[in-house]
Amino acid sequence: MPITKTQQKVDINRRRIINGEDADVIQLYPIKHKFAWDAYLAANANHWLPTEVNMQKDVEQWRSRHILSDDERLALKVVLGFFTTADSIAANNVSMATYKHVTSPEVRMYILRQAYEEAIHTHAYQYIVESLGLDEGEIFNMYREHDSIYNKDSFVLSFNEGIFDPSFKTGTFENDQKFLENLVVFSLIMEGIFFYSSFAVMFGFQRQNKLVGSAEEIQYIMRDESMHLNFGIDLINTIKKEQPELWTPDFQQRVIDLVKKAVVLEYTFAQNVFPRGIFGMNADGFKKYIEHIADRRLIRVGLPLQYESPNPFPWMSEAIDLSKEKNFFETRVIEYKTGGALEW
Ligand code: FE
């Protein structure tokens, strides 16, 4: 939009996540959405690069005939098959769909950082694939070939259609709900549910002292992803406050239904990939775990629990427990800043 010449200062009260009145998307100050600025600073303090992780031990284990079982090899490949494209999908969504509709400059600042982190994550998967000498064509194309990855990705991508349309604009009830729905799908579901059985597998490797370099990459990624999830939840909850009329009972039910659909897609993925279970995690365990995670996401946006499944992988909560996320995150920041490697 063209700049109007004026001495009038930006009114912080008119700043909104979307549909900010007279939105000035260039002036960072006055900051209204402090959570976004805090997230931006914390993310920078957590900066990391995939090539900082030593992959030597992983390479030796992968080459050895005696350390990894066939099931474990397959598990790593399929998990990478999901991961390699998932962060590209997330990057496209934040940079091409979310960013342009957001009218808060501080929120845009974090989105820029998030988009870069998604690129770092894709780089990390590429680095693992390259280090282990895996077949790139097999891994990177798996999302088209493997039903349960394809189903997750097409579910998520179907929510881009409206928002990616160049003529899409926020500002109507229907479109604002569509935008909010997109946030729900990408934050709560893609970043908050669809990564989690794969995270569990990678921590499974780590607990066996296998592929520890790859697992460490995934730990850094998970730290970033839980930040993305928290930020997405903050966006959803702030829009709820700024435009409470959008959060209708029907819409709430839609969110619950979407999460429930995603839960089925995610545990089906886990069950297809690990039909015989892996590292003591069996099909039923994955199902309960995903349900447990989904409930946690619903609560965060003020929706009722749907499953009340106890966490069957209590060791995961040490690594991933989002109720401790604030603390978990703050300690990470400090440890990373002082040069400490990740310890869980
Ligand atoms: Fe992300």
Side-chain angles (χ1 to χ4, degrees):
M1 82 182 60
I3 310 169
T4 322
K5 194 164 184 313
T6 175
Q7 294 194 333
Q8 209 181 338
K9 299 284 188 279
V10 167
D11 178 359
I12 190 172
N13 296 312
R14 292 157 84 105
R15 183 163 286 185
R16 289 210 203 157
I17 306 283
I18 50 172
N19 303 311
E21 280 176 69
D22 307 321
D24 190 322
V25 293
I26 303 173
Q27 288 193 36
L28 178 61
Y29 272 82
I31 287 179
K32 181 177 185 187
H33 302 110
K34 196 166 174 298
F35 71 86
W37 182 245
D38 291 344
Y40 172 80
L41 295 177
N44 284 332
N46 267 351
H47 188 71
W48 66 285
L49 284 173
T51 45
E52 292 165 350
V53 176
N54 189 331
M55 294 290 290
Q56 193 50 44
K57 210 170 159 207
D58 293 42
V59 172
E60 287 162 17
Q61 290 181 338
W62 192 260
R63 283 185 187 156
S64 162
R65 291 273 123 225
H66 316 291
I67 294 170
L68 300 163
S69 70
D70 287 347
D71 278 357
E72 289 167 359
R73 287 170 186 274
L74 179 67
L76 178 80
K77 284 189 196 173
V78 181
V79 160
L80 283 173
F82 168 70
F83 280 146
T84 44
T85 44
D87 285 86
S88 299
I89 290 173
N92 289 344
N93 190 68
V94 289
S95 61
M96 287 154 71
T98 322
Y99 187 88
K100 68 190 252 195
H101 301 298
V102 160
T103 53
S104 163
E106 58 271 29
V107 170
R108 283 184 160 200
M109 288 276 284
Y110 181 74
I111 292 173
L112 291 172
R113 172 73 208 188
Q114 179 179 344
Y116 175 45
E117 287 175 1
E118 307 296 9
I120 290 175
H121 301 170
T122 304
H123 181 184
Y125 310 131
Q126 179 278 339
Y127 181 61
I128 296 172
V129 169
E130 186 182 49
S131 302
L132 299 182
L134 303 178
D135 176 347
E136 297 95 342
E138 179 190 357
I139 306 292
F140 281 82
N141 201 49
M142 206 181 283
Y143 82 111
R144 294 175 191 265
E145 300 177 33
H146 199 294
D147 280 351
S148 55
I149 302 177
Y150 176 85
N151 291 340
K152 291 205 295 181
D153 286 355
S154 24
F155 171 80
V156 162
L157 286 169
S158 71
F159 291 91
N160 265 341
E161 279 160 18
I163 311 259
F164 269 49
D165 182 337
S167 64
F168 177 89
K169 276 197 171 63
T170 58
T172 63
F173 180 79
E174 199 198 1
N175 282 3
D176 290 355
Q177 275 196 339
K178 207 170 189 49
F179 181 85
L180 201 50
E181 183 184 70
N182 175 284
L183 285 181
V184 165
V185 168
F186 279 85
S187 298
L188 291 195
I189 293 176
M190 184 63 161
E191 308 200 287
I193 296 175
F194 280 178
F195 275 77
Y196 277 77
S197 29
S198 302
F199 282 153
V201 172
M202 294 310 297
F203 290 115
F205 276 113
Q206 192 178 46
R207 280 158 53 83
Q208 312 262 324
N209 214 14
K210 291 173 178 170
L211 303 179
V212 288
S214 305
E216 191 180 340
E217 301 273 357
I218 302 301
Q219 283 186 299
Y220 283 114
I221 290 170
M222 204 209 69
R223 182 178 62 182
D224 295 341
E225 286 306 335
S226 57
M227 186 98 194
H228 300 175
L229 170 65
N230 279 340
F231 175 74
I233 288 169
D234 281 336
L235 286 184
I236 292 167
N237 287 331
T238 308
I239 292 176
K240 274 166 61 185
K241 264 187 227 145
E242 292 176 350
Q243 297 182 250
E245 73 283 358
L246 299 176
W247 198 247
T248 59
D250 275 0
F251 189 82
Q252 294 176 38
Q253 190 54 51
R254 195 146 100 222
V255 173
I256 293 170
D257 293 343
L258 287 171
V259 166
K260 283 177 147 176
K261 245 187 217 169
V263 165
V264 176
L265 286 168
E266 183 60 9
Y267 72 67
T268 307
F269 164 77
Q271 292 173 350
N272 287 352
V273 179
F274 320 111
R276 290 173 293 275
I278 187 165
F279 307 133
M281 300 179 273
N282 60 25
D284 189 57
F286 273 110
K287 179 168 184 285
K288 293 267 156 45
Y289 179 63
I290 298 307
E291 291 174 349
H292 171 78
I293 290 292
D295 270 343
R296 310 286 299 273
R297 309 298 179 249
L298 287 168
I299 285 189
R300 297 281 303 277
V301 294
L303 294 173
L305 299 176
Q306 299 298 308
Y307 305 98
E308 305 193 40
S309 300
N311 183 0
F313 309 150
W315 50 271
M316 279 294 280
S317 51
E318 275 307 297
I320 297 182
D321 195 334
L322 293 178
S323 70
K324 290 189 295 191
E325 204 157 56
K326 264 250 130 56
N327 276 333
F328 144 79
F329 191 72
E330 278 155 15
T331 47
R332 285 306 118 205
V333 174
I334 293 158
E335 285 178 19
Y336 192 68
K337 273 201 280 204
T338 54
L342 278 172
E343 285 216 19
W344 294 74

